[in-house]
């Protein structure tokens, strides 16, 4: 196209050629400022594991004494060869995704990792190729986009270290120079780990709950001594279903609504009403309630938005029981667009217009659904006969995650309190347990451990029946502060009875012989 001075305004801008302008090396710096939260960054890495067909994912915090030195995400997915590794470590390098893939933009691995770590290492192996690795170091990448090739012997050594997960194929993502680790003050590592892992458990449990509900997919979070390789903590992530109530808050729900959306077609919504004042973690444990009402939007079974009305209405307390599940269409469209961090969905006004026309199979409108949810909330607020359980010091390390989840579902938790930890230790033979009120620790006499494990392998979360009962018996001692003569006598009684019972159990002949 030629350009004539003084010509009328044209929509097409005239050009005179092209010029290639590759990104400057400092572009890598922008990846460190994407605003990824820690939990969202780890979830992005787990998405990659799911896309790779993994059945088991382990998030491992590596600890050296009182320091946290690295973080690993290990999976048993199909792995990558050297060529695939180069593509994975290239910013925007992923060109094609499977239709059901959770990956979207080709930047998640790099942006999520470099938002939190100064170095990202990826080591992988497939069934047909040896282990190989690549490493990005922020300082080096900012200089000239150079990516390190990891020594092949080291790659194989690390793969061998985690052969309990990886087997014949899999991938390890390693973070070094994790910036939040470097902020931990002396003596605060245990507290930092507990709080960080609690948040990570909740985030992964919620956003990946559909995957975690399957029998063939598991995520574990461990703390590992980097020198001895001992597991200092081990927690299995449990699914947190945002619609996981036992009985709905209103008869006749959930209901299916059909939304005619221009440019998409008919979209199906599932509208739920939670039971009022539910103590379940799935309702109360995922942030302020006012932020958790609204749309729960899924893309390929992965939750990408947990609450909010996307501009279709304002959030208000009376709608706290209203939650709506939406599965996005598989095909890309001009109405719904995913944020880069997969923490929300942008919608055009076409969705709001369709929502106004939506109905269920009986002709009930979406506006009427909200009115029912509001009425349910108001009716519950007027009742005054509800029994309130006392808030408790939360359960912590040493308790099986499933038991811990039940305790948190059933008992309201005190905010800001260090959780109660259970540990097996060497104690005098006449003592079954003792407690440290300051450190919130219940110490169990390791002499009696086999009475509760039998032939099963002992682990940090073993003996759940014993620990569950002791938690219910002893929790008040941590909540009520200083001891009293009555409580000390109570614990002396329990110690005497439990020591006797454990010795009886250990003296019983095996198999009834």
């Amino acid at each position: 196209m030629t350009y004539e001075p003084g010509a009328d305004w044209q929509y097409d801008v005239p050009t005179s050629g092209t010029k290639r302008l590759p990104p400057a090396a400092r572009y890598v710096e922008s990846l460190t400022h994407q605003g990824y939260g820690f939990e969202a960054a780890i979830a992005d890495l787990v998405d990659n594991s799911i896309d790779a067909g993994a059945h088991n994912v382990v998030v491992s915090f590596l600890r050296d004494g009182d320091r946290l030195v690295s973080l690993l995400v290990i999976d048993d997915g199909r792995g990558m060869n050297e060529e695939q590794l180069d593509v994975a470590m290239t910013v925007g390098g992923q060109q094609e995704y499977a239709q059901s893939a959770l990956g979207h933009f080709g930047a998640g691995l790099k942006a999520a990792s470099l938002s939190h770590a100064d170095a990202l290492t990826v080591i992988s192996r497939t069934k047909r190729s040896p282990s190989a690795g690549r490493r990005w170091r922020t300082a080096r990448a900012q200089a000239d986009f150079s990516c390190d090739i990891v020594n092949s012997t080291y790659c194989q050594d690390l793969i061998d270290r985690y052969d309990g997960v990886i087997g014949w194929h899999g991938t390890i993502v390693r973070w070094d120079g994790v910036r939040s680790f470097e902020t931990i003050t002396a003596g605060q590592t245990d507290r930092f780990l507990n709080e960080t892992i609690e948040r990570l458990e909740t985030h992964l449990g919620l956003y990946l709950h559909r995957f975690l509900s399957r029998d063939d997919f598991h995520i574990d979070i461990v703390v590992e001594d980097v020198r001895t390789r001992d597991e200092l903590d081990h927690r299995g992530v449990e699914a947190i279903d945002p619609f996981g109530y036992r009985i709905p808050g209103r008869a006749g729900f959930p209901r299916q609504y059909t939304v005619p959306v221009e440019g998409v077609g008919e979209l199906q919504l599932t509208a739920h009403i939670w039971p009022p004042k539910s103590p379940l973690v799935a309702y109360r444990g995922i942030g302020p309630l006012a932020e958790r009402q609204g749309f729960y939007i899924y893309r390929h079974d992965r939750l990408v938005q947990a609450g909010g009305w996307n501009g279709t209405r304002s959030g208000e307390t009376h709608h706290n029981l209203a939650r709506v599940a939406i599965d996005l269409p598989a095909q890309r469209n001009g109405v719904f667009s995913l944020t880069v961090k997969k923490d929300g969905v942008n919608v055009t006004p076409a969705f709001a217009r369709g929502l106004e026309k939506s109905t269920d199979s009986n002709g009930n409108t979406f506006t009427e659904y909200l009115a029912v949810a509001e009425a349910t909330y108001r009716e519950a607020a007027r009742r005054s006969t509800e029994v309130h359980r006392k808030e408790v010091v939360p359960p912590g390390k040493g308790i099986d995650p499933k038991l811990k989840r039940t305790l948190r579902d059933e008992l309201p938790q005190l905010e800001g309190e260090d959780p109660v930890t259970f540990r097996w230790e060497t104690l005098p033979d006449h003592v079954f347990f003792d407690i440290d009120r300051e450190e919130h620790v219940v110490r169990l006499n390791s002499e009696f451990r086999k009475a509760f494990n039998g032939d099963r392998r002992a682990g940090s979360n073993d003996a759940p029946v014993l620990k569950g009962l002791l938690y219910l018996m002893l929790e008040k001692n941590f909540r009520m502060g200083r001891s009293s003569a009555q409580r000390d006598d109570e614990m002396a009684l329990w110690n005497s009875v439990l020591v006797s019972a454990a010795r009886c159990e250990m003296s019983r002949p095996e198999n009834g012989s």
Side-chain angles (χ1 to χ4, degrees), residues 14-122:
T15 61
S16 59
T18 61
K19 184 176 183 179
R20 186 174 181 272
L21 297 174
R26 65 171 301 184
Y27 172 68
V28 173
E29 184 179 0
S30 71
L31 296 180
T32 69
H33 301 289
Q34 294 293 311
Y36 269 93
F38 181 83
E39 299 82 25
I42 298 297
D44 219 323
L45 301 187
V46 177
D47 287 347
N48 293 338
S49 299
I50 293 172
D51 283 346
H55 296 288
N56 297 284
V57 180
V58 176
V59 181
S60 181
F61 293 81
L62 299 186
R63 182 170 181 171
D64 186 1
D66 200 39
R67 295 188 309 119
L68 293 179
V69 293
S70 296
L71 181 141
L72 306 180
V73 177
I74 309 142
D75 72 51
D76 62 354
R78 67 181 67 92
M80 294 175 282
N81 59 28
E82 294 213 41
E83 182 180 349
Q84 292 166 328
L85 267 173
D86 287 341
V87 173
M89 294 293 270
T90 300
V91 178
Q94 184 71 44
Q95 299 298 318
E96 297 292 336
Y97 285 99
Q99 187 168 341
S100 61
L102 303 183
H104 199 55
F105 296 105
L109 169 66
K110 286 74 67 177
S113 299
L114 297 179
S115 290
H116 292 275
D118 291 333
L120 161 66
T121 303
V122 180

Side-chain angles (χ1 to χ4, degrees), residues 105 253 434:
F105 296 105
F253 284 88
D434 70 11

